[in-house]
Amino acid sequence: MILYDYFRSSAAYRVRIALQMKGIVVEHRQVHLQRGEQSRPSYLATNPQALVPTLELDDGTVLTQSLAIIEYLEALRPEPRLIPVDPVLAARVRAVALAIACDIHPLNNPRVVKYLETELNAPETGVDAWRRHWLLNGLEAVERLIAPMGSPAGPFCFGAAVTLADVCLIPQLYSARRFETPLDHLPRILAVEAACADLPAFRAAHPSRQADAQ
Amino acid sequence: MILYDYFRSSAAYRVRIALQMKGIVVEHRQVHLQRGEQSRPSYLATNPQALVPTLELDDGTVLTQSLAIIEYLEALRPEPRLIPVDPVLAARVRAVALAIACDIHPLNNPRVVKYLETELNAPETGVDAWRRHWLLNGLEAVERLIAPMGSPAGPFCFGAAVTLADVCLIPQLYSARRFETPLDHLPRILAVEAACADLPAFRAAHPSRQADAQ
């Protein structure tokens, strides 16, 4: 399989963690977003959204959207499970993943920030405030979603095992730290971050460890 | 079960369609987004993101995020299936759902539009252009994602049966028409829209048929 990847993309980073967790080895092909490689006709034929990641299967089938790719990997190699079997717990795990993937990440995607700058003439301070606003708004909600009454204790978002919620949270925290977002008031999230930092799968998937890291 | 709902929310509309498809009857409680009811402390205790929909189960368990709720309903009542059993087809269906739920809908959410107006001082024409830009950008990609080489023929996004892709597409088209987005160049999407318009589940879930429609 081939993963079309970019070291700093938090969506691609999620898929890298899932692949590492499941021990699936893929070929990585870098699509340099800052150089606009995602808009080349050859890549658009693969991914009409001009986004990373894309996973190309051995028969040439192309899968897009990080969460759809991770659900596919879960079906392909169920262990270790990233989505719990219990439907209610699965829904809570997916809700955290989606609170990040829908309500934080897309608002701060480079294409959106570029639109703010070029089409709405937003000043640099306005763009910085926008980024931090959606990061904080979303992460403060996640802090409450991962620690509801009666949920299991940590160290991860939903207990003793890594789930899709952790797989989405850690890349979003990498982005939050890049943009100097204050996180000290989010103790559950910081505990999850510390627990994941020790895991080989998360270390291997980190942006700084990728071939295109600069 | 109780669905916290708002007639015009396209995320709530997705869940209404899924409930109708599966024949699950729930109590609807309206959360009036224009009047700010989503920010009341009682609702925030239920949904810390201050978003609709929320599904409250009979034992008081609260589920958030429309796609997580629909995956739960799929586990609770598998027939008719909205997510195909085949993992590759399931990934394609989920990718279309996520292309809408992550990359179109959140950018045009009322809270985001309000931020553009009040914090970035975007003029009305700029906000209208923003809305249509992300709607068109996303729907043009969806047009290509639902008709890849070798995929089954319609009338729905992925063949002869309704899937999660249709459940997400129809509410987004309702929003696109509200904001007068040109769609004539998207023939596959228009064919799906026409096919779904005839189905009782989609008709019953339409915003105009809800108790809070004005």
Side-chain angles (χ1 to χ4, degrees):
Chain A
M1 294 193 285
I2 301 164
L3 181 68
Y4 294 87
D5 196 359
Y6 180 61
F7 74 115
R8 237 181 217 158
S9 157
S10 77
Y13 187 1
R14 292 171 202 152
V15 174
R16 292 198 302 264
I17 297 169
L19 287 166
Q20 289 284 342
M21 288 291 298
K22 291 176 179 292
I24 300 172
V25 177
V26 299
E27 178 188 334
H28 292 256
R29 288 207 191 144
Q30 275 76 30
V31 181
H32 202 298
L33 300 191
Q34 294 300 327
R35 292 190 203 129
E37 292 179 358
Q38 71 280 18
S39 301
R40 287 183 184 170
S42 61
Y43 188 69
L44 281 177
T46 302
N47 186 318
Q49 287 196 277
L51 296 172
V52 291
T54 303
L55 185 69
E56 188 176 318
L57 309 186
D58 291 340
D59 69 358
T61 299
V62 164
L63 304 183
T64 65
Q65 285 286 340
S66 63
L67 296 187
I69 292 170
I70 294 171
E71 297 263 4
Y72 170 79
L73 298 174
E74 184 86 346
L76 186 72
R77 193 166 301 183
E79 299 296 332
R81 291 198 75 88
L82 296 174
I83 299 166
V85 177
D86 174 69
V88 168
L89 191 53
R92 283 181 171 167
V93 166
R94 286 195 179 101
V96 169
L98 291 160
I100 293 166
C102 297
D103 297 324
I104 303 178
H105 174 251
L107 294 161
N108 290 346
N109 189 286
R111 64 184 191 149
V112 172
V113 169
K114 190 174 170 195
Y115 190 102
L116 292 176
E117 291 167 345
T118 59
E119 303 296 326
L120 293 178
N121 300 312
E124 193 176 330
T125 51
V127 169
D128 285 348
W130 161 280
R131 269 204 193 92
R132 271 193 287 268
H133 175 78
W134 299 116
L135 275 160
L136 272 178
N137 172 289
L139 290 173
E140 286 168 1
V142 167
E143 177 83 3
R144 295 172 64 190
L145 289 171
I146 64 178
M149 291 294 287
S151 73
F156 301 111
C157 289
F158 289 93
V162 168
T163 65
L164 180 63
D166 307 291
V167 168
C168 291
L169 179 58
I170 296 304
Q172 197 60 65
L173 292 175
Y174 166 78
S175 174
R177 293 199 178 280
R178 258 182 83 203
F179 297 110
E180 297 171 0
T181 313
L183 302 173
D184 288 348
H185 60 306
L186 305 172
R188 278 284 288 125
I189 283 178
L190 293 176
V192 171
E193 186 182 38
C196 291
D198 290 335
L199 300 181
F202 284 77
R203 294 165 73 109
H206 193 274
S208 66
R209 301 277 297 273
Q210 307 312 305
D212 53 342
Q214 292 134 347
Chain B
M1 294 194 284
I2 300 165
L3 181 68
Y4 294 86
D5 196 0
Y6 179 62
F7 74 113
R8 235 180 217 159
S9 156
S10 76
Y13 186 1
R14 293 172 202 150
V15 175
R16 292 198 302 264
I17 297 169
L19 288 165
Q20 289 283 343
M21 288 291 298
K22 291 176 179 292
I24 301 172
V25 177
V26 299
E27 177 188 336
H28 292 257
R29 286 204 194 148
Q30 275 76 31
V31 181
H32 202 297
L33 301 191
Q34 294 299 327
R35 292 191 202 127
E37 291 180 1
Q38 71 278 18
S39 300
R40 288 183 182 168
S42 61
Y43 188 69
L44 281 175
T46 301
N47 186 319
Q49 288 197 277
L51 296 172
V52 290
T54 304
L55 185 70
E56 189 175 320
L57 308 185
D58 291 340
D59 69 356
T61 300
V62 163
L63 304 182
T64 64
Q65 287 286 339
S66 62
L67 296 187
I69 291 170
I70 294 172
E71 297 265 2
Y72 170 79
L73 297 175
E74 184 86 346
L76 186 72
R77 192 165 305 183
E79 301 295 335
R81 292 198 74 88
L82 296 175
I83 299 167
V85 176
D86 174 69
V88 168
L89 191 54
R92 282 181 172 169
V93 166
R94 286 195 178 101
V96 169
L98 291 160
I100 294 166
C102 297
D103 298 323
I104 303 177
H105 174 252
L107 294 161
N108 291 345
N109 190 285
R111 64 187 191 150
V112 172
V113 168
K114 190 175 170 192
Y115 190 101
L116 292 176
E117 290 167 345
T118 59
E119 303 297 325
L120 293 178
N121 301 312
E124 192 177 330
T125 52
V127 170
D128 285 346
W130 161 280
R131 269 205 193 93
R132 271 193 287 267
H133 175 79
W134 299 117
L135 274 161
L136 271 179
N137 173 288
L139 290 174
E140 286 168 0
V142 167
E143 177 83 3
R144 295 172 64 187
L145 290 171
I146 62 176
M149 289 295 287
S151 73
F156 302 111
C157 288
F158 289 94
V162 168
T163 66
L164 180 64
D166 306 291
V167 168
C168 291
L169 178 58
I170 297 303
Q172 196 58 66
L173 292 176
Y174 167 78
S175 173
R177 294 199 179 280
R178 258 183 83 204
F179 297 110
E180 298 173 358
T181 313
L183 302 174
D184 288 347
H185 60 305
L186 305 173
R188 278 285 287 127
I189 283 178
L190 293 178
V192 172
E193 186 183 38
C196 291
D198 289 336
L199 300 180
F202 285 76
R203 294 163 74 110
H206 192 275
S208 66
R209 300 278 295 274
Q210 307 313 304
D212 54 342
Q214 293 135 348

